[in-house]
C-alpha cells in the first residue's frame, strides 16, 4: 500500500489570503481554505487537505519528527490532515462522526 501512486491536485497553486496560521502551544497549525486534494495510496476517494502541522526538534541535528521511517527520525516533520470531501464539509465533521480521515507526513532533512 505504501508504494501506491499519490495524485496531488491544487498543491502547485499559491495559497490565498483565506489561509490562516496559529500557534497551538506546541506547534504551528496552518488552516487551508483553498482546494488541495489527494487521491491514491489506498484512500477511499478524493481527500481534501484542511490542516498542516509541523513537529521539530531544538536543533537541525535533533530528532524532532513525531514519526519515523524504518526507525529513522528527522529534524522536521510536516503533517497534512485530510478528509473525504464527498462525505463531509470539514475535517472536524469527519472526526465528530468517527469516520476515516487521512494524515500524510513529509520529512525534512537539511
Amino acid at each position: 500500500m505504501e508504494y501506491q501512486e499519490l495524485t496531488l491536485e491544487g498543491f502547485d497553486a499559491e495559497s490565498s489570503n483565506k489561509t490562516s496560521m496559529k500557534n497551538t502551544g506546541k506547534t504551528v497549525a496552518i488552516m487551508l481554505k483553498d482546494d488541495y486534494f489527494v487521491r491514491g495510496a489506498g484512500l477511499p476517494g478524493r481527500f481534501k487537505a484542511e490542516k498542516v502541522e509541523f513537529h521539530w526538534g531544538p536543533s537541525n541535528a535533533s530528532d524532532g519528527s513525531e514519526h519515523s521511517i524504518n526507525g529513522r527520525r528527522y529534524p522536521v516533520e510536516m503533517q497534512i490532515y485530510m478528509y473525504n470531501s464527498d462525505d463531509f464539509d470539514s475535517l472536524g465533521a469527519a472526526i465528530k462522526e468517527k469516520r476515516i480521515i487521512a494524515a500524510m507526513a513529509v520529512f525534512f532533512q537539511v
Side-chain angles (χ1 to χ4, degrees):
M1 297 282 280
E2 67 184 310
Y3 298 110
Q4 289 184 7
E5 186 173 326
L6 281 175
T7 301
L8 305 175
E9 299 174 31
F11 283 87
D12 56 344
E14 189 173 315
S15 295
S16 71
N17 62 359
K18 297 183 285 183
T19 298
S20 64
M21 193 180 318
K22 74 176 191 172
N23 181 339
T24 68
K26 54 183 192 172
T27 187
V28 61
I30 300 170
M31 305 308 293
L32 304 171
K33 301 297 181 189
D34 299 308
D35 292 335
Y36 303 101
F37 296 97
V38 176
R39 69 170 71 234
L43 291 173
R46 186 172 85 151
F47 275 55
K48 184 174 183 179
E50 181 174 301
K51 182 169 68 167
V52 177
E53 291 185 348
F54 292 88
H55 298 273
W56 62 89
S59 71
N60 188 41
S62 68
D63 296 334
S65 63
E66 184 178 30
H67 299 92
S68 64
I69 298 175
N70 297 324
R72 181 174 177 209
R73 294 179 55 181
Y74 293 82
V76 178
E77 176 180 352
M78 177 178 69
Q79 296 173 350
I80 304 171
Y81 294 94
M82 301 166 279
Y83 64 95
N84 189 331
S85 60
D86 291 335
D87 296 334
F88 297 97
D89 61 0
S90 72
L91 182 65
I95 292 170
K96 184 178 179 184
E97 294 292 322
K98 299 181 180 174
R99 297 292 294 271
I100 294 172
I101 64 166
M104 179 170 52
V106 179
F107 299 97
F108 295 89
Q109 177 73 50
V110 177

